[in-house]
Amino acid sequence: MPFGDFVNQIPPIGFLAIHFVAFAIGSVFAWRAFGNGSTGLGWGFALFALAEISYMTYHLDWTTFLFAHTVSEVLDLLAMVSFFVAAVRTVQRPGEARP
């Protein structure tokens, strides 16, 4: 028995609930960030929320696992890049020289 096999006993509605909560959190954070003028953070959280929707498509039997997982990972990677860019712009002062 592989490690984590117990997860197969969780009904699909459990996974949908987890991904929906994560989607809701990402959406609220994106909305707040855009409203605050933090577009980099807003896009990062919006991409994260889209990734959660992609994960949900598998649990709704709309897509295959590998497809949904791949799309979600790409969206999460783009979200991470957006967070990084937002962080660098926040820390870096306009007058400082860039390496």
Side-chain angles (χ1 to χ4, degrees):
M1 173 190 330
F3 179 75
D5 192 46
F6 66 91
V7 173
N8 291 328
Q9 303 306 315
I10 300 173
I13 192 72
F15 291 107
L16 280 172
I18 291 166
H19 289 298
F20 181 78
V21 168
F23 163 77
I25 291 169
S27 296
V28 169
F29 285 1
W31 179 61
R32 297 286 305 265
F34 281 124
N36 195 27
S38 301
T39 56
L41 290 176
W43 279 113
F45 286 117
L47 289 165
F48 171 78
L50 288 173
E52 292 304 315
I53 290 173
S54 178
Y55 279 125
M56 284 189 272
T57 63
Y58 167 72
H59 297 294
L60 293 168
D61 288 328
W62 294 350
T63 60
T64 63
F65 175 77
L66 189 56
F67 179 79
H69 184 76
T70 302
V71 169
S72 297
E73 289 299 322
V74 169
L75 289 168
D76 283 335
L77 177 63
L78 292 173
M80 238 187 332
V81 168
S82 181
F83 291 141
F84 176 78
V85 169
V88 168
R89 285 185 180 167
T90 301
V91 171
Q92 200 171 47
R93 293 186 183 140
E96 291 182 5
R98 294 184 178 168

Coordinates of all heavy atoms in Angstrom, one line a residue:
M1 N 0.8 -1.2 0.0 CA 0.0 0.0 0.0 C 0.9 1.2 0.0 O 1.7 1.4 0.9 CB -0.9 0.0 1.2 CG -1.7 1.3 1.4 SD -2.6 1.5 2.9 CE -3.1 0.0 3.5
P2 N 0.8 2.1 -1.0 CA 1.6 3.3 -1.0 C 1.1 4.3 0.0 O 0.0 4.3 0.5 CB 1.3 3.9 -2.4 CG 0.1 3.2 -2.9 CD -0.1 2.0 -2.2
F3 N 2.1 5.2 0.5 CA 1.8 6.2 1.5 C 0.7 7.1 0.9 O 0.8 7.6 -0.2 CB 3.1 6.9 1.8 CG 2.8 8.0 2.9 CD1 2.6 7.7 4.2 CD2 2.8 9.3 2.5 CE1 2.4 8.6 5.1 CE2 2.5 10.3 3.4 CZ 2.3 10.0 4.8
G4 N -0.2 7.5 1.7 CA -1.3 8.4 1.4 C -2.5 7.8 0.7 O -3.4 8.5 0.3
D5 N -2.5 6.4 0.7 CA -3.6 5.7 0.0 C -5.0 6.0 0.7 O -6.0 5.9 0.1 CB -3.3 4.2 0.0 CG -4.3 3.5 -0.9 OD1 -4.5 3.9 -2.0 OD2 -4.8 2.4 -0.4
F6 N -4.9 6.4 2.0 CA -6.1 6.7 2.7 C -6.9 7.9 2.1 O -8.1 8.0 2.3 CB -5.8 7.1 4.2 CG -5.0 8.3 4.3 CD1 -5.6 9.6 4.5 CD2 -3.6 8.3 4.3 CE1 -4.9 10.7 4.6 CE2 -2.9 9.5 4.4 CZ -3.5 10.7 4.6
V7 N -6.2 8.7 1.3 CA -6.9 9.9 0.7 C -7.9 9.4 -0.3 O -8.9 10.1 -0.6 CB -5.8 10.8 0.0 CG1 -6.5 11.9 -0.8 CG2 -4.9 11.4 1.1
N8 N -7.7 8.2 -0.9 CA -8.7 7.6 -1.8 C -10.1 7.4 -1.2 O -11.0 7.2 -1.9 CB -8.2 6.3 -2.4 CG -7.0 6.6 -3.3 OD1 -6.9 7.6 -4.0 ND2 -6.1 5.7 -3.4
Q9 N -10.1 7.4 0.2 CA -11.4 7.1 0.9 C -12.2 8.4 1.0 O -13.4 8.4 1.4 CB -11.1 6.5 2.2 CG -10.3 5.2 2.2 CD -10.9 4.2 1.3 OE1 -12.1 4.0 1.3 NE2 -10.1 3.6 0.4
I10 N -11.6 9.6 0.8 CA -12.3 10.8 0.9 C -13.2 11.0 -0.3 O -12.8 10.8 -1.5 CB -11.3 12.0 0.9 CG1 -10.4 11.9 2.2 CG2 -12.0 13.4 1.0 CD1 -9.3 12.9 2.2
P11 N -14.5 11.3 -0.1 CA -15.4 11.4 -1.2 C -15.1 12.7 -2.0 O -14.5 13.7 -1.5 CB -16.8 11.6 -0.6 CG -16.5 12.0 0.8 CD -15.2 11.5 1.2
P12 N -15.4 12.7 -3.3 CA -15.1 13.8 -4.2 C -15.6 15.2 -3.6 O -15.0 16.2 -3.8 CB -15.8 13.5 -5.5 CG -15.9 12.0 -5.5 CD -16.0 11.6 -4.1
I13 N -16.8 15.2 -3.0 CA -17.3 16.4 -2.4 C -16.3 17.0 -1.4 O -16.3 18.3 -1.3 CB -18.7 16.2 -1.8 CG1 -19.4 17.5 -1.5 CG2 -18.6 15.4 -0.5 CD1 -19.8 18.3 -2.7
G14 N -15.5 16.2 -0.7 CA -14.5 16.7 0.2 C -13.5 17.5 -0.5 O -13.1 18.6 -0.1
F15 N -13.0 17.0 -1.6 CA -12.0 17.7 -2.4 C -12.6 19.0 -3.0 O -11.9 20.0 -3.1 CB -11.4 16.8 -3.5 CG -10.6 15.7 -3.0 CD1 -11.1 14.4 -3.0 CD2 -9.4 15.9 -2.5 CE1 -10.4 13.3 -2.5 CE2 -8.6 14.8 -2.0 CZ -9.1 13.6 -2.0
L16 N -13.8 18.9 -3.5 CA -14.4 20.1 -4.0 C -14.6 21.2 -3.0 O -14.3 22.4 -3.3 CB -15.8 19.8 -4.6 CG -15.9 19.1 -6.0 CD1 -17.3 18.6 -6.3 CD2 -15.4 20.1 -7.0
A17 N -14.9 20.8 -1.8 CA -15.0 21.8 -0.7 C -13.7 22.4 -0.4 O -13.6 23.6 -0.2 CB -15.6 21.1 0.6
I18 N -12.6 21.6 -0.3 CA -11.3 22.1 -0.1 C -10.9 23.1 -1.1 O -10.4 24.2 -0.9 CB -10.2 21.0 0.1 CG1 -10.5 20.2 1.3 CG2 -8.8 21.5 0.0 CD1 -9.8 18.9 1.4
H19 N -11.1 22.7 -2.4 CA -10.7 23.6 -3.5 C -11.6 24.9 -3.6 O -11.1 25.9 -4.0 CB -10.7 22.9 -4.8 CG -9.5 21.9 -4.9 ND1 -8.2 22.2 -4.9 CD2 -9.6 20.5 -5.1 CE1 -7.5 21.2 -5.0 NE2 -8.3 20.1 -5.1
F20 N -12.8 24.7 -3.2 CA -13.7 25.9 -3.2 C -13.3 26.9 -2.2 O -13.3 28.1 -2.4 CB -15.2 25.5 -3.0 CG -16.1 26.7 -3.1 CD1 -16.4 27.2 -4.3 CD2 -16.6 27.3 -1.9 CE1 -17.2 28.4 -4.4 CE2 -17.4 28.4 -2.0 CZ -17.7 28.9 -3.2
V21 N -13.0 26.4 -1.0 CA -12.5 27.3 0.1 C -11.2 28.0 -0.4 O -11.1 29.2 -0.2 CB -12.3 26.6 1.4 CG1 -11.6 27.4 2.4 CG2 -13.6 26.1 1.9
A22 N -10.3 27.3 -1.0 CA -9.0 27.9 -1.4 C -9.3 28.9 -2.5 O -8.7 30.0 -2.6 CB -8.1 26.8 -2.0
F23 N -10.3 28.6 -3.4 CA -10.7 29.5 -4.5 C -11.3 30.8 -3.9 O -10.9 31.9 -4.3 CB -11.7 28.9 -5.4 CG -12.5 29.8 -6.3 CD1 -11.9 30.4 -7.4 CD2 -13.8 30.2 -5.9 CE1 -12.6 31.3 -8.1 CE2 -14.5 31.1 -6.7 CZ -13.9 31.7 -7.8
A24 N -12.1 30.6 -2.9 CA -12.8 31.8 -2.3 C -11.7 32.7 -1.6 O -11.8 33.9 -1.7 CB -13.8 31.3 -1.2
I25 N -10.8 32.1 -0.9 CA -9.7 32.8 -0.2 C -8.9 33.6 -1.3 O -8.6 34.8 -1.1 CB -8.8 31.9 0.6 CG1 -9.6 31.4 1.8 CG2 -7.6 32.6 1.1 CD1 -8.9 30.3 2.6
G26 N -8.5 32.9 -2.3 CA -7.7 33.6 -3.4 C -8.5 34.7 -4.1 O -7.9 35.7 -4.4
S27 N -9.8 34.5 -4.3 CA -10.6 35.5 -4.9 C -10.7 36.8 -4.0 O -10.6 37.9 -4.5 CB -12.0 35.0 -5.2 OG -11.9 33.9 -6.1
V28 N -11.0 36.5 -2.7 CA -11.1 37.7 -1.8 C -9.7 38.4 -1.7 O -9.7 39.7 -1.8 CB -11.5 37.2 -0.4 CG1 -11.4 38.3 0.6 CG2 -13.0 36.7 -0.4
F29 N -8.6 37.7 -1.6 CA -7.3 38.3 -1.6 C -7.1 39.1 -2.8 O -6.5 40.2 -2.8 CB -6.2 37.3 -1.3 CG -6.2 36.8 0.1 CD1 -7.0 37.3 1.1 CD2 -5.2 35.9 0.5 CE1 -7.0 36.8 2.4 CE2 -5.1 35.4 1.8 CZ -6.0 35.9 2.7
A30 N -7.4 38.6 -4.0 CA -7.2 39.3 -5.3 C -8.1 40.5 -5.3 O -7.6 41.6 -5.7 CB -7.6 38.3 -6.4
W31 N -9.3 40.4 -4.9 CA -10.2 41.6 -4.9 C -9.6 42.7 -4.0 O -9.6 43.9 -4.4 CB -11.6 41.1 -4.4 CG -12.6 42.2 -4.4 CD1 -13.1 43.0 -5.4 CD2 -13.3 42.6 -3.2 NE1 -14.0 43.9 -4.9 CE2 -14.2 43.6 -3.6 CE3 -13.3 42.2 -1.9 CZ2 -15.0 44.3 -2.6 CZ3 -14.1 42.8 -1.0 CH2 -15.0 43.9 -1.4
R32 N -9.2 42.3 -2.8 CA -8.6 43.3 -1.9 C -7.3 43.9 -2.4 O -7.1 45.1 -2.3 CB -8.3 42.6 -0.5 CG -9.6 42.1 0.2 CD -10.4 43.2 0.9 NE -9.7 44.1 1.7 CZ -9.6 44.0 3.0 NH1 -10.2 43.0 3.7 NH2 -8.9 44.9 3.7
A33 N -6.5 43.1 -3.0 CA -5.2 43.6 -3.5 C -5.4 44.5 -4.7 O -4.8 45.6 -4.8 CB -4.3 42.4 -4.0
F34 N -6.3 44.2 -5.6 CA -6.6 45.1 -6.7 C -7.2 46.4 -6.2 O -6.9 47.5 -6.7 CB -7.6 44.5 -7.7 CG -6.9 43.5 -8.7 CD1 -7.3 42.2 -8.8 CD2 -5.8 43.9 -9.5 CE1 -6.7 41.3 -9.7 CE2 -5.2 43.0 -10.4 CZ -5.7 41.7 -10.5
G35 N -8.1 46.3 -5.2 CA -8.7 47.5 -4.6 C -7.7 48.3 -3.9 O -7.9 49.6 -3.8
N36 N -6.6 47.8 -3.5 CA -5.6 48.5 -2.7 C -4.5 49.0 -3.7 O -3.6 49.7 -3.3 CB -4.9 47.6 -1.7 CG -4.1 48.3 -0.7 OD1 -4.4 49.5 -0.4 ND2 -3.1 47.6 -0.2
G37 N -4.7 48.7 -5.0 CA -3.7 49.2 -6.0 C -2.5 48.3 -6.1 O -1.5 48.6 -6.8
S38 N -2.5 47.1 -5.5 CA -1.4 46.2 -5.6 C -1.7 45.2 -6.7 O -2.1 44.1 -6.5 CB -1.2 45.4 -4.3 OG -1.0 46.3 -3.2
T39 N -1.5 45.6 -7.9 CA -1.9 44.8 -9.1 C -1.0 43.5 -9.2 O -1.6 42.5 -9.6 CB -1.7 45.6 -10.4 OG1 -0.4 46.1 -10.5 CG2 -2.7 46.7 -10.4
G40 N 0.2 43.5 -8.8 CA 1.0 42.3 -8.9 C 0.5 41.3 -7.9 O 0.4 40.1 -8.3
L41 N 0.2 41.7 -6.7 CA -0.4 40.7 -5.8 C -1.8 40.3 -6.2 O -2.2 39.1 -6.1 CB -0.5 41.3 -4.4 CG 0.8 41.5 -3.6 CD1 0.5 42.2 -2.3 CD2 1.5 40.2 -3.4
G42 N -2.5 41.2 -6.8 CA -3.9 40.9 -7.3 C -3.9 39.8 -8.4 O -4.6 38.9 -8.3
W43 N -2.9 40.0 -9.3 CA -2.8 39.0 -10.4 C -2.3 37.6 -9.8 O -2.8 36.6 -10.3 CB -1.9 39.4 -11.5 CG -2.6 40.4 -12.4 CD1 -2.4 41.7 -12.6 CD2 -3.7 40.0 -13.3 NE1 -3.3 42.2 -13.5 CE2 -4.1 41.2 -14.0 CE3 -4.4 38.8 -13.5 CZ2 -5.1 41.2 -14.9 CZ3 -5.4 38.8 -14.5 CH2 -5.8 40.0 -15.1
G44 N -1.4 37.7 -8.8 CA -1.0 36.4 -8.2 C -2.1 35.7 -7.6 O -2.3 34.5 -7.8
F45 N -2.9 36.4 -6.8 CA -4.1 35.7 -6.2 C -5.1 35.3 -7.2 O -5.8 34.2 -7.0 CB -4.6 36.6 -5.1 CG -3.8 36.6 -3.8 CD1 -3.2 37.8 -3.4 CD2 -3.5 35.5 -3.1 CE1 -2.4 37.9 -2.3 CE2 -2.7 35.5 -2.0 CZ -2.2 36.7 -1.6
A46 N -5.3 36.1 -8.2 CA -6.3 35.7 -9.2 C -5.9 34.5 -10.0 O -6.7 33.6 -10.3 CB -6.5 36.9 -10.2
L47 N -4.6 34.3 -10.3 CA -4.1 33.1 -10.9 C -4.2 31.9 -10.0 O -4.5 30.8 -10.5 CB -2.6 33.4 -11.4 CG -2.4 34.3 -12.5 CD1 -1.0 34.7 -12.7 CD2 -2.9 33.7 -13.8
F48 N -3.9 32.1 -8.7 CA -4.1 31.0 -7.8 C -5.6 30.6 -7.7 O -5.9 29.4 -7.7 CB -3.7 31.5 -6.4 CG -4.1 30.5 -5.3 CD1 -3.3 29.4 -5.1 CD2 -5.2 30.7 -4.5 CE1 -3.7 28.4 -4.1 CE2 -5.5 29.8 -3.5 CZ -4.8 28.7 -3.3
A49 N -6.5 31.5 -7.8 CA -7.9 31.2 -7.8 C -8.3 30.4 -9.0 O -9.1 29.4 -9.0 CB -8.8 32.4 -7.6
L50 N -7.8 30.8 -10.2 CA -8.0 30.1 -11.4 C -7.4 28.7 -11.4 O -8.0 27.7 -11.9 CB -7.4 30.8 -12.6 CG -8.1 32.1 -13.0 CD1 -7.3 32.8 -14.1 CD2 -9.5 31.8 -13.5
A51 N -6.3 28.5 -10.7 CA -5.7 27.2 -10.5 C -6.7 26.3 -9.7 O -6.8 25.1 -10.0 CB -4.4 27.3 -9.9
E52 N -7.3 26.9 -8.7 CA -8.2 26.1 -7.9 C -9.5 25.7 -8.7 O -10.0 24.5 -8.6 CB -8.7 26.9 -6.7 CG -7.5 27.0 -5.7 CD -6.9 25.7 -5.2 OE1 -7.6 24.8 -4.9 OE2 -5.7 25.6 -5.2
I53 N -9.9 26.5 -9.6 CA -11.0 26.2 -10.5 C -10.6 25.0 -11.4 O -11.3 24.1 -11.6 CB -11.5 27.4 -11.4 CG1 -12.2 28.4 -10.5 CG2 -12.4 26.9 -12.5 CD1 -12.5 29.7 -11.2
S54 N -9.3 25.1 -11.9 CA -8.8 24.0 -12.7 C -8.8 22.6 -12.0 O -9.2 21.6 -12.5 CB -7.4 24.3 -13.3 OG -6.9 23.3 -14.0
Y55 N -8.4 22.7 -10.7 CA -8.4 21.5 -9.9 C -9.8 20.9 -9.8 O -10.1 19.7 -9.8 CB -7.8 21.7 -8.5 CG -6.3 21.7 -8.4 CD1 -5.7 22.8 -7.9 CD2 -5.6 20.6 -8.8 CE1 -4.3 22.8 -7.8 CE2 -4.2 20.6 -8.7 CZ -3.6 21.7 -8.2 OH -2.2 21.7 -8.1
M56 N -10.8 21.8 -9.6 CA -12.2 21.4 -9.4 C -12.7 20.7 -10.7 O -13.6 19.9 -10.6 CB -13.1 22.6 -9.0 CG -12.9 23.0 -7.6 SD -14.1 24.3 -7.1 CE -13.3 25.8 -7.5
T57 N -12.2 21.1 -11.9 CA -12.7 20.4 -13.1 C -12.5 18.9 -13.1 O -13.3 18.2 -13.6 CB -12.1 21.1 -14.3 OG1 -10.7 20.8 -14.4 CG2 -12.4 22.5 -14.4
Y58 N -11.4 18.5 -12.5 CA -11.1 17.1 -12.4 C -12.1 16.4 -11.4 O -12.7 15.4 -11.8 CB -9.7 16.8 -11.9 CG -9.5 15.4 -11.5 CD1 -9.5 14.4 -12.5 CD2 -9.4 15.0 -10.2 CE1 -9.3 13.0 -12.1 CE2 -9.3 13.6 -9.8 CZ -9.3 12.7 -10.8 OH -9.1 11.4 -10.4
H59 N -12.4 17.0 -10.3 CA -13.3 16.4 -9.3 C -14.7 16.4 -9.8 O -15.6 15.7 -9.3 CB -13.2 17.1 -8.0 CG -11.8 16.9 -7.4 ND1 -11.3 15.7 -7.0 CD2 -10.8 17.8 -7.2 CE1 -10.1 15.8 -6.5 NE2 -9.7 17.1 -6.6
L60 N -15.0 17.3 -10.8 CA -16.4 17.3 -11.4 C -16.4 16.4 -12.6 O -17.5 16.3 -13.3 CB -16.7 18.7 -11.8 CG -16.9 19.7 -10.6 CD1 -17.0 21.1 -11.1 CD2 -18.2 19.3 -9.9
D61 N -15.3 15.7 -12.9 CA -15.2 14.8 -14.1 C -15.4 15.5 -15.4 O -15.9 15.0 -16.4 CB -16.3 13.6 -14.0 CG -15.9 12.6 -12.9 OD1 -14.7 12.4 -12.7 OD2 -16.8 12.0 -12.3
W62 N -14.9 16.7 -15.5 CA -14.9 17.5 -16.7 C -13.6 17.3 -17.5 O -13.6 17.5 -18.7 CB -15.2 18.9 -16.4 CG -16.5 19.3 -15.9 CD1 -17.6 18.4 -15.8 CD2 -16.9 20.5 -15.4 NE1 -18.6 19.1 -15.2 CE2 -18.3 20.4 -15.0 CE3 -16.3 21.8 -15.2 CZ2 -19.0 21.4 -14.4 CZ3 -17.0 22.8 -14.7 CH2 -18.4 22.6 -14.3
T63 N -12.5 17.0 -16.7 CA -11.2 16.9 -17.3 C -10.5 15.7 -16.7 O -11.0 15.1 -15.7 CB -10.3 18.1 -17.1 OG1 -10.1 18.3 -15.7 CG2 -10.9 19.3 -17.8
T64 N -9.4 15.3 -17.3 CA -8.6 14.2 -16.7 C -7.7 14.8 -15.6 O -7.4 16.0 -15.6 CB -7.7 13.5 -17.7 OG1 -6.8 14.5 -18.2 CG2 -8.5 12.9 -18.9
F65 N -7.2 13.9 -14.7 CA -6.4 14.4 -13.6 C -5.1 15.1 -14.1 O -4.7 16.2 -13.7 CB -6.0 13.3 -12.7 CG -5.0 13.7 -11.6 CD1 -5.5 14.4 -10.5 CD2 -3.7 13.4 -11.7 CE1 -4.6 14.8 -9.5 CE2 -2.8 13.8 -10.7 CZ -3.3 14.5 -9.6
L66 N -4.4 14.4 -15.1 CA -3.1 15.0 -15.5 C -3.3 16.3 -16.2 O -2.5 17.3 -16.0 CB -2.5 14.0 -16.5 CG -1.1 14.3 -16.9 CD1 -0.2 14.5 -15.7 CD2 -0.5 13.2 -17.8
F67 N -4.4 16.5 -17.0 CA -4.7 17.8 -17.6 C -4.9 18.9 -16.6 O -4.3 19.9 -16.6 CB -5.8 17.7 -18.6 CG -6.2 19.0 -19.3 CD1 -5.4 19.4 -20.3 CD2 -7.2 19.8 -18.8 CE1 -5.7 20.6 -21.0 CE2 -7.5 21.0 -19.5 CZ -6.8 21.4 -20.5
A68 N -5.9 18.6 -15.7 CA -6.2 19.6 -14.6 C -5.0 19.9 -13.8 O -4.8 21.1 -13.4 CB -7.4 19.1 -13.8
H69 N -4.2 18.9 -13.4 CA -3.1 19.2 -12.6 C -2.0 20.0 -13.3 O -1.4 20.9 -12.7 CB -2.5 17.8 -12.1 CG -1.3 17.9 -11.2 ND1 -1.5 18.2 -9.8 CD2 0.0 17.8 -11.4 CE1 -0.4 18.3 -9.3 NE2 0.6 18.0 -10.1
T70 N -1.8 19.7 -14.5 CA -0.8 20.5 -15.3 C -1.2 21.9 -15.5 O -0.4 22.8 -15.3 CB -0.6 19.8 -16.7 OG1 -0.2 18.4 -16.5 CG2 0.5 20.5 -17.5
V71 N -2.4 22.1 -15.8 CA -2.9 23.5 -16.0 C -2.8 24.3 -14.7 O -2.4 25.4 -14.6 CB -4.4 23.5 -16.5 CG1 -5.0 24.9 -16.4 CG2 -4.4 23.0 -18.0
S72 N -3.2 23.6 -13.6 CA -3.1 24.2 -12.3 C -1.7 24.5 -11.8 O -1.4 25.6 -11.3 CB -3.8 23.3 -11.2 OG -5.1 23.1 -11.5
E73 N -0.8 23.7 -12.1 CA 0.6 23.9 -11.8 C 1.2 25.1 -12.6 O 2.0 25.9 -12.0 CB 1.5 22.7 -12.0 CG 1.2 21.6 -11.0 CD 1.5 22.0 -9.6 OE1 2.5 22.7 -9.3 OE2 0.7 21.5 -8.7
V74 N 0.8 25.2 -13.8 CA 1.3 26.3 -14.6 C 0.7 27.6 -14.1 O 1.4 28.6 -13.9 CB 0.9 26.2 -16.1 CG1 1.2 27.4 -16.9 CG2 1.7 25.0 -16.7
L75 N -0.6 27.6 -13.7 CA -1.2 28.8 -13.1 C -0.5 29.2 -11.8 O -0.3 30.4 -11.5 CB -2.7 28.6 -13.0 CG -3.5 28.6 -14.3 CD1 -4.9 28.1 -14.1 CD2 -3.5 30.0 -15.0
D76 N -0.3 28.2 -11.0 CA 0.4 28.4 -9.7 C 1.8 29.0 -9.9 O 2.3 29.9 -9.2 CB 0.5 27.1 -8.9 CG -0.9 26.8 -8.2 OD1 -1.7 27.8 -8.0 OD2 -1.1 25.6 -7.9
L77 N 2.5 28.5 -10.9 CA 3.9 29.0 -11.2 C 3.8 30.5 -11.6 O 4.6 31.3 -11.2 CB 4.5 28.1 -12.3 CG 5.9 28.6 -12.7 CD1 6.9 28.5 -11.6 CD2 6.4 27.7 -13.9
L78 N 2.8 30.8 -12.5 CA 2.7 32.2 -12.9 C 2.3 33.1 -11.7 O 2.7 34.2 -11.6 CB 1.6 32.3 -14.0 CG 2.0 31.7 -15.4 CD1 0.8 31.7 -16.3 CD2 3.2 32.4 -16.0
A79 N 1.5 32.5 -10.8 CA 1.1 33.3 -9.6 C 2.4 33.6 -8.8 O 2.6 34.7 -8.2 CB 0.1 32.5 -8.8
M80 N 3.2 32.5 -8.6 CA 4.5 32.7 -7.9 C 5.4 33.8 -8.5 O 6.0 34.6 -7.8 CB 5.3 31.4 -7.8 CG 5.5 31.0 -6.4 SD 6.5 29.5 -6.2 CE 6.4 28.6 -7.6
V81 N 5.5 33.8 -9.8 CA 6.2 34.8 -10.5 C 5.6 36.2 -10.3 O 6.4 37.2 -10.0 CB 6.3 34.5 -12.0 CG1 6.9 35.7 -12.8 CG2 7.1 33.3 -12.3
S82 N 4.3 36.3 -10.3 CA 3.7 37.6 -10.0 C 3.9 38.0 -8.6 O 4.2 39.2 -8.4 CB 2.2 37.4 -10.3 OG 1.5 38.6 -10.0
F83 N 3.9 37.1 -7.6 CA 4.2 37.5 -6.2 C 5.7 38.0 -6.1 O 5.9 38.9 -5.4 CB 4.0 36.3 -5.3 CG 2.6 35.9 -5.1 CD1 2.2 34.6 -5.0 CD2 1.6 36.9 -5.0 CE1 0.9 34.2 -4.9 CE2 0.2 36.5 -4.8 CZ -0.1 35.1 -4.8
F84 N 6.6 37.3 -6.8 CA 8.0 37.7 -6.8 C 8.2 39.1 -7.3 O 8.9 39.9 -6.7 CB 8.8 36.7 -7.5 CG 10.3 37.0 -7.6 CD1 11.1 36.9 -6.5 CD2 10.8 37.6 -8.7 CE1 12.4 37.3 -6.5 CE2 12.1 38.0 -8.8 CZ 13.0 37.8 -7.7
V85 N 7.6 39.3 -8.5 CA 7.7 40.6 -9.1 C 7.2 41.7 -8.2 O 7.7 42.8 -8.1 CB 7.1 40.6 -10.5 CG1 7.0 42.0 -11.1 CG2 7.8 39.7 -11.5
A86 N 6.0 41.4 -7.6 CA 5.4 42.4 -6.7 C 6.3 42.7 -5.5 O 6.4 43.8 -5.1 CB 4.0 41.9 -6.3
A87 N 6.9 41.6 -5.0 CA 7.8 41.8 -3.8 C 9.0 42.6 -4.2 O 9.4 43.5 -3.4 CB 8.1 40.4 -3.3
V88 N 9.6 42.3 -5.3 CA 10.8 43.0 -5.7 C 10.5 44.5 -6.0 O 11.3 45.4 -5.6 CB 11.4 42.4 -7.0 CG1 12.5 43.3 -7.6 CG2 12.0 41.0 -6.6
R89 N 9.4 44.8 -6.6 CA 9.0 46.2 -6.8 C 8.7 46.9 -5.5 O 9.0 48.1 -5.4 CB 7.8 46.2 -7.8 CG 8.1 45.9 -9.2 CD 7.0 46.1 -10.1 NE 7.3 45.8 -11.4 CZ 6.4 45.7 -12.4 NH1 5.1 45.8 -12.1 NH2 6.8 45.4 -13.6
T90 N 8.2 46.2 -4.5 CA 7.9 46.9 -3.3 C 9.2 47.2 -2.5 O 9.3 48.2 -1.9 CB 7.0 45.9 -2.4 OG1 5.8 45.7 -3.1 CG2 6.7 46.6 -1.1
V91 N 10.1 46.2 -2.5 CA 11.4 46.4 -1.8 C 12.3 47.4 -2.5 O 13.0 48.1 -1.8 CB 12.1 45.0 -1.6 CG1 13.5 45.2 -1.0 CG2 11.2 44.1 -0.7
Q92 N 12.4 47.4 -3.8 CA 13.3 48.2 -4.5 C 12.8 49.6 -4.6 O 11.7 49.9 -5.0 CB 13.5 47.6 -5.9 CG 14.7 48.0 -6.6 CD 14.9 47.2 -7.9 OE1 14.0 47.1 -8.6 NE2 16.1 46.7 -8.1
R93 N 13.7 50.5 -4.3 CA 13.3 51.9 -4.4 C 13.6 52.4 -5.8 O 14.6 52.0 -6.4 CB 14.1 52.7 -3.3 CG 13.7 52.4 -1.9 CD 14.4 53.3 -0.9 NE 14.0 52.9 0.4 CZ 14.8 52.8 1.4 NH1 16.1 53.2 1.2 NH2 14.4 52.4 2.6
P94 N 12.8 53.4 -6.3 CA 13.0 53.9 -7.6 C 14.4 54.4 -7.9 O 14.9 54.3 -9.0 CB 11.9 54.9 -7.8 CG 10.9 54.7 -6.7 CD 11.7 54.0 -5.6
G95 N 15.1 55.0 -7.0 CA 16.4 55.7 -7.2 C 17.5 54.7 -7.1 O 18.6 55.1 -7.5
E96 N 17.3 53.5 -6.7 CA 18.4 52.5 -6.5 C 18.8 52.0 -7.8 O 18.0 51.7 -8.7 CB 18.1 51.4 -5.6 CG 17.9 51.9 -4.1 CD 17.6 50.7 -3.2 OE1 17.6 49.5 -3.7 OE2 17.3 50.9 -2.0
A97 N 20.1 51.7 -8.0 CA 20.6 51.1 -9.2 C 20.3 49.6 -9.2 O 20.4 49.0 -8.1 CB 22.1 51.3 -9.3
R98 N 20.0 49.1 -10.3 CA 19.7 47.6 -10.4 C 20.9 46.9 -10.9 O 21.7 47.4 -11.7 CB 18.6 47.4 -11.4 CG 17.3 48.0 -10.9 CD 16.1 47.6 -11.9 NE 14.9 48.2 -11.4 CZ 13.8 48.3 -12.0 NH1 13.7 47.9 -13.3 NH2 12.7 48.7 -11.5
P99 N 21.2 45.7 -10.3 CA 22.4 45.0 -10.7 C 22.3 44.5 -12.2 O 21.3 44.3 -12.7 CB 22.4 43.8 -9.8 CG 21.1 43.7 -9.1 CD 20.4 45.0 -9.3

